[in-house]
Amino acid sequence: MEFKDKQEALNYLIKTIHTYQPNADCVDVKKAFELADKAHEQQQRVSGEPYITHPLAVAQILAELQIDTTTITASLLHDVVEDTSYTLEDLTQEFGSQVAFLVDGVTKLSRIDYRTKEDQQLNSMRKMFLAMAKDVRVVVIKLADRLHNMRTLKYMRSDKQKRIAQETLEIFAPLAHRLGIFNIKWELEDLSFRYLEPDKYYDLVDQMKQKRHVREEIVNEAINVMRKALEESNIKFEINGRPKHFYSIYKKMKKDNRDLSQVYDLYAVRIIVDTVQDCYGVLGIVHSLWKPLPYRFKDYIAMPKPNNYQSLHTTVIGTRGQPVEIQIRTWEMHRVAEYGVAAHWRYKEGHANAGKNEFDEKMGWLRNLLEWQDTSNPKEFMNSLKLDAFSDEVFVFTPRGDVIDMPQGAIPIDFAYRIHTDVGHRCVGAKINSKIVPLNTPLKNGDIIEIITSKNGKPSLDWLNIVGSSESRSKIRSWFKKENREENITKGAESLERECKRLNHDWKVLNKAGRLARVAKQMNAGSEDDLLAAVGYGGFAVNTVLIKLLDLHKKDIQKEEEKNSHTAVVEKLRPRKPLHKTGTGILVKGESGLLVRLAKCCSPVPGDPIIGFITRGRGVSVHRADCPSITNNQEDVDRLIDVEWDYDGKEMFEVNMEIVAYDRTGVMADIMATLAEMKISILNVNAKVNDTKTVTVHLGISIKDLAQFEFIATKIRRLKDVYTVQRYTGGAI
């Protein structure tokens, strides 16, 4: 909706709030608008509009979700701390601690000096999720903020459009789905689809327009037949047709390899009634009118989705012999389906304590995010979130009949930890449907799980490689962290020294000047011993720690050279030469026209810190900044040159991966199947069986950037019997 000025937009916002909270006191809302208007007075959006139009639009989206006024107040202020001179202390004093906490939760970590833009983004995202686990309204504000940004994305550069749309599709749309806010979820998906696949999006829109008349006739005929039958039954109802969203149609076409003419259920018929009993009554009438399609009936009333969605879904062969999807729900279920967690917000005016325990139980997965905080670096945290919180679910039962939702790929150990941490620690066996099964058996929908425990039972390190959820992995690591601290410290130190030796570095040189303690501080890991213990029990990857050590080592060398070399001082004062494009995805300092190639010894990819080395007769060789051939070569420092990535997202880069796994039949097939599922091109494979009953696999794969490699590595680490996955820079096996 367009407004002639900001005052009209504010009046409409307050009018919307009063439609669901007639007695709401909007004093803070007005005061927040005035402060935000003043703070952003000199700022404009990329579109040229005054900046205040953005927080007003975000607040309006939230009001349409019928959220509480505290959240709307915070949404008007959500960019004030990040973009203006106002502080959290100012907001606390003016609006109270709740509003300040919500604003802080959505404020990016922009005032900290991060090594890369990606690190800043990952840490900001992680901060938001951890704040969300304490107060879910943080992420409801962020979703509204992202939705308005997506609605106005046309004003951004093409590369930014694609990056933001990809992030929206990977994180924010699944998050809206997990919270049950389908109003926002569908729009985020369709907008992302529009910018990521514009040709396919507009082609689908045109095809839908051309065939809409015929499909509407099919749905209208079905509605008329049902309306007549329902009126005769004396059930109070409302019935309407609803077109499917573009992205969901596209996914279905892609999944089943069909064109639009072969997808029949493009429209759904929705029937809303007063009671649950009426829902099942309507279902009986529908099935008496038409034959239901096998395996297309879903009872989400008896078994709600984890996001609390409830409805009956059935697909029938309609009046013209075409499939028609029918959804049946009560008005309360409909409200939850549209507004999700916002419909249950317990701080809503007049319901301060209503449903508190029920709400906490339903949103318990948010609390699990806090448990990942101590054991995950930001990249691992986000990858775990994508693979666990946003993955498909399986529904299983306890022996007493309680329904438990688990991430797809979960095993009985995950179920045991979901029941209680101690049950997980003491788990020694499991029964599925009354039969004893191995602990690594994948759970399926409808399984009845019984856990066998022992007083002497304890976790095994092997469990870290077979469990299917980060919640379980976190609890297992915590157990080893507490139980075997001294052993873990020794193991962590040995792992670092061993990896250091493999990369041709001197551990004593690398770890002097208290560098490990500095790395521990950087990673919020506590003391040096705490960091070594975390490496020992798997809390931090060896490579992550080593890269940070190498970075400090290099910086210390540079400082020493600058201190002792007059030449370095002169060079520092000399004007910086411009960076020139080379057509290879690399910008090079100095003269243009240089031949540039990526070094095979370390295979850098976008996202890696890089440095150029001027070779004799072969142009500039680009290495990772931590490449041993660079860090160990102190004689040719004057031949190093500044380079930067200039990557458009279209090129693919070769990277080598080393996987160490238990040598069992099928382990290679599992690895290959996982890569095939992610559509990763394999360039070469080399494997060697070791004396320790393990196999070392070296893979050359084609990827877009470092973030994709990290995601692939996380997925492979979760395979049964896989011990380690890391970048590989050595020679042949």
Side-chain angles (χ1 to χ4, degrees):
M1 182 176 291
E2 296 290 333
F3 300 102
K4 63 181 181 182
D5 57 35
K6 58 193 176 186
Q7 190 59 49
E8 185 183 37
L10 176 64
N11 293 340
Y12 189 80
L13 170 64
I14 293 171
K15 181 181 176 181
T16 306
I17 294 170
H18 284 149
T19 61
Y20 62 92
Q21 288 190 30
N23 301 319
D25 179 1
C26 293
V27 171
D28 275 354
V29 174
K30 294 174 183 175
K31 191 164 70 169
F33 164 75
E34 290 168 2
L35 189 149
D37 189 27
K38 181 181 176 183
H40 296 298
E41 191 174 13
Q42 303 300 321
Q43 297 173 350
Q44 285 186 330
R45 303 206 81 210
V46 178
S47 63
E49 296 175 298
Y51 197 88
I52 190 62
T53 58
H54 172 62
L56 271 170
V58 172
Q60 183 62 41
I61 291 168
L62 292 173
E64 289 166 4
L65 290 177
Q66 300 188 1
I67 204 76
D68 61 301
T69 53
T70 301
T71 310
I72 292 173
T73 300
S75 71
L76 287 165
L77 301 165
H78 78 273
D79 278 334
V80 164
V81 174
E82 185 178 329
D83 295 337
T84 76
S85 59
Y86 282 88
T87 65
L88 282 174
E89 290 73 21
D90 295 333
L91 298 190
T92 304
Q93 188 173 349
E94 287 287 331
F95 300 96
S97 57
Q98 264 195 35
V99 169
F101 176 83
L102 294 175
V103 172
D104 185 41
V106 293
T107 299
K108 295 174 188 171
L109 298 170
S110 56
R111 299 184 181 180
I112 300 174
D113 183 22
Y114 284 99
R115 183 173 163 181
T116 67
K117 182 77 174 174
E118 184 191 20
D119 283 348
Q120 177 186 329
Q121 189 177 8
L122 287 169
N123 277 283
S124 295
M125 200 77 73
R126 182 170 179 265
K127 172 195 172 188
M128 182 193 72
F129 279 110
L130 295 171
M132 175 184 76
K134 297 176 183 176
D135 193 329
V136 73
R137 291 177 295 181
V138 167
V139 83
V140 178
I141 295 171
K142 190 62 181 177
L143 286 172
D145 171 60
R146 179 52 62 108
L147 178 55
H148 184 248
N149 283 333
M150 288 299 295
R151 286 174 178 174
T152 55
L153 199 59
K154 63 183 179 181
Y155 298 106
M156 292 287 189
R157 294 196 321 262
S158 175
D159 59 325
K160 279 195 171 185
Q161 288 176 348
K162 290 189 180 297
R163 178 180 60 77
I164 293 169
Q166 189 67 47
E167 182 184 70
T168 300
L169 199 59
E170 287 182 358
I171 295 173
F172 290 99
L175 183 58
H177 173 80
R178 199 68 167 83
L179 296 174
I181 311 175
F182 288 96
N183 267 1
I184 289 181
K185 181 226 179 186
W186 296 123
E187 190 173 353
L188 286 177
E189 286 185 338
D190 281 356
L191 288 168
S192 298
F193 177 33
R194 174 181 163 190
Y195 288 104
L196 290 172
E197 302 278 1
D199 294 340
K200 293 175 182 175
Y201 173 82
Y202 287 111
D203 180 52
L204 186 58
V205 171
D206 290 340
Q207 290 185 63
M208 288 287 288
K209 283 180 182 176
Q210 293 167 12
K211 302 184 180 182
R212 182 171 59 187
H213 178 68
V214 175
R215 300 193 186 282
E216 284 180 346
E217 281 185 359
I218 294 171
V219 171
N220 289 336
E221 285 178 13
I223 287 175
N224 291 333
V225 172
M226 279 185 280
R227 179 177 282 117
K228 184 177 178 181
L230 291 171
E231 285 171 349
E232 291 173 358
S233 70
N234 294 320
I235 293 175
K236 188 179 177 182
F237 68 93
E238 181 177 300
I239 186 169
N240 54 63
R242 180 184 65 84
K244 291 287 186 72
H245 294 269
F246 294 119
Y247 185 66
S248 63
I249 295 170
Y250 170 71
K251 280 201 302 184
K252 190 165 192 174
M253 291 167 60
K254 193 174 180 181
K255 178 183 175 184
D256 299 335
N257 196 24
R258 297 178 179 182
D259 60 34
L260 191 66
S261 63
Q262 297 172 301
V263 180
Y264 299 110
D265 53 342
L266 298 177
Y267 285 80
V269 175
R270 181 176 292 155
I271 304 171
I272 307 176
V273 295
D274 289 338
T275 67
V276 172
Q277 184 178 353
D278 287 344
C279 288
Y280 290 100
V282 170
L283 178 68
I285 292 170
V286 170
H287 284 181
S288 69
L289 292 171
W290 300 291
K291 288 184 178 180
L293 279 175
Y295 312 112
R296 292 298 301 270
F297 171 65
K298 303 274 180 63
D299 187 346
Y300 294 120
I301 293 178
M303 291 179 60
K305 290 185 177 183
N307 58 21
N308 203 34
Y309 175 87
Q310 288 184 288
S311 193
L312 295 176
H313 288 197
T314 186
T315 302
V316 298
I317 302 298
T319 53
R320 298 192 187 183
Q322 301 286 7
V324 178
E325 183 184 344
I326 297 170
Q327 301 171 357
I328 308 165
R329 61 180 66 152
T330 66
W331 284 103
E332 176 60 22
M333 293 172 192
H334 180 63
R335 193 166 71 92
V336 172
E338 294 299 303
Y339 303 143
V341 68
H344 284 275
W345 189 246
R346 64 173 178 263
Y347 292 109
K348 197 170 174 178
E349 186 177 315
H351 301 276
N353 296 310
K356 184 175 190 293
N357 293 333
E358 181 187 3
F359 181 91
D360 280 341
E361 183 180 339
K362 287 172 181 172
M363 302 311 297
W365 69 277
L366 289 175
R367 309 294 176 263
N368 296 335
L369 291 172
L370 285 174
E371 296 190 23
W372 304 343
Q373 184 177 10
D374 293 335
T375 57
S376 300
N377 61 43
K379 283 185 182 177
E380 192 71 25
F381 178 85
M382 291 307 301
N383 287 339
S384 296
L385 200 66
K386 292 176 188 177
L387 292 171
D388 288 348
F390 301 155
S391 67
D392 292 333
E393 302 91 14
V394 294
F395 297 90
V396 296
F397 295 90
T398 67
R400 293 189 300 179
D402 296 327
V403 181
I404 307 290
D405 65 282
M406 304 293 297
Q408 201 166 55
I411 62 175
I413 297 171
D414 295 300
F415 178 86
Y417 277 108
R418 176 66 64 84
I419 298 302
H420 195 278
T421 303
D422 286 339
V423 174
H425 289 341
R426 294 188 285 111
C427 173
V428 294
K431 291 181 181 180
I432 297 181
N433 304 325
S434 302
K435 293 182 180 179
I436 293 179
V437 296
L439 284 174
N440 61 356
T441 304
L443 304 182
K444 300 192 293 291
N445 277 319
D447 283 343
I448 301 172
I449 318 297
E450 183 180 347
I451 300 299
I452 303 167
T453 60
S454 167
K455 288 183 179 179
N456 299 322
K458 61 181 182 179
S460 163
L461 269 175
D462 291 338
W463 288 6
L464 290 171
N465 296 313
I466 63 174
V467 292
S469 83
S470 293
E471 178 186 357
S472 307
R473 193 172 288 106
S474 171
K475 290 177 178 179
I476 294 165
R477 284 171 173 165
S478 293
W479 187 88
F480 281 104
K481 181 180 179 181
K482 293 174 184 175
E483 296 295 319
N484 299 333
R485 178 173 170 79
E486 294 304 321
E487 181 182 331
N488 286 330
I489 291 172
T490 303
K491 187 176 178 181
E494 289 174 351
S495 298
L496 286 169
E497 287 188 43
R498 186 166 56 248
E499 183 65 9
C500 204
K501 184 178 180 181
R502 193 179 74 82
L503 295 174
N504 299 318
H505 287 289
D506 186 331
W507 171 250
K508 291 181 179 178
V509 172
L510 203 61
N511 190 33
K512 69 179 183 180
R515 291 195 189 110
L516 198 58
R518 288 156 65 190
V519 170
K521 187 175 180 181
Q522 281 182 7
M523 301 177 74
N524 296 317
S527 68
E528 184 175 328
D529 282 350
D530 292 334
L531 178 61
L532 289 172
V535 172
Y537 66 73
F540 287 118
V542 174
N543 276 4
T544 301
V545 177
L546 208 55
I547 285 172
K548 290 186 179 295
L549 274 173
L550 285 164
D551 193 39
L552 288 177
H553 172 60
K554 182 182 175 185
K555 286 179 179 177
D556 288 347
I557 290 174
Q558 288 175 342
K559 285 179 182 177
E560 190 65 28
E561 287 176 348
E562 287 182 7
K563 183 179 177 182
N564 298 323
S565 172
H566 175 71
T567 305
V569 174
V570 172
E571 180 62 28
K572 193 174 180 181
L573 294 173
R574 191 175 296 161
R576 184 179 174 87
K577 293 183 180 179
L579 291 162
H580 291 276
K581 285 181 176 289
T582 64
T584 60
I586 303 290
L587 293 174
V588 178
K589 174 184 173 182
E591 297 299 326
S592 59
L594 291 173
L595 177 66
V596 175
R597 62 185 179 85
L598 298 178
K600 294 290 185 182
C601 57
C602 57
S603 301
V605 297
D608 283 326
I610 51 175
I611 189 75
F613 183 81
I614 301 172
T615 63
R616 292 183 174 89
R618 289 185 298 164
V620 175
S621 175
V622 178
H623 297 255
R624 282 163 49 190
D626 60 350
C627 178
S629 62
I630 295 296
T631 56
N632 291 342
N633 184 2
Q634 300 303 316
E635 296 178 2
D636 297 316
V637 173
D638 57 331
R639 292 167 65 188
L640 297 178
I641 187 170
D642 288 344
V643 292
E644 293 177 6
W645 289 109
D646 180 34
Y647 174 55
D648 60 7
K650 295 179 182 178
E651 298 175 62
M652 302 299 285
F653 296 82
E654 180 178 351
V655 67
N656 296 313
M657 173 182 286
E658 180 180 84
I659 305 166
V660 179
Y662 176 64
D663 183 28
R664 63 165 171 85
T665 303
V667 70
M668 280 291 291
D670 289 348
I671 294 168
M672 295 302 174
T674 300
L675 292 169
E677 180 187 339
M678 292 186 284
K679 296 181 172 57
I680 301 302
S681 297
I682 301 172
L683 306 175
N684 55 73
V685 183
N686 200 346
K688 176 186 177 184
V689 177
N690 306 312
D691 296 336
T692 55
K693 293 186 178 179
T694 61
V695 60
T696 300
V697 182
H698 288 168
L699 286 170
I701 58 176
S702 183
I703 62 171
K704 293 187 297 184
D705 52 31
L706 185 61
Q708 187 181 21
F709 176 85
E710 295 287 352
F711 187 75
I712 294 166
T714 300
K715 196 117 179 180
I716 292 177
R717 284 190 195 103
R718 296 184 171 208
L719 294 176
K720 177 187 174 185
D721 297 326
V722 171
Y723 299 135
T724 62
V725 182
Q726 59 191 6
R727 291 275 287 276
Y728 174 67
T729 56
I733 294 183

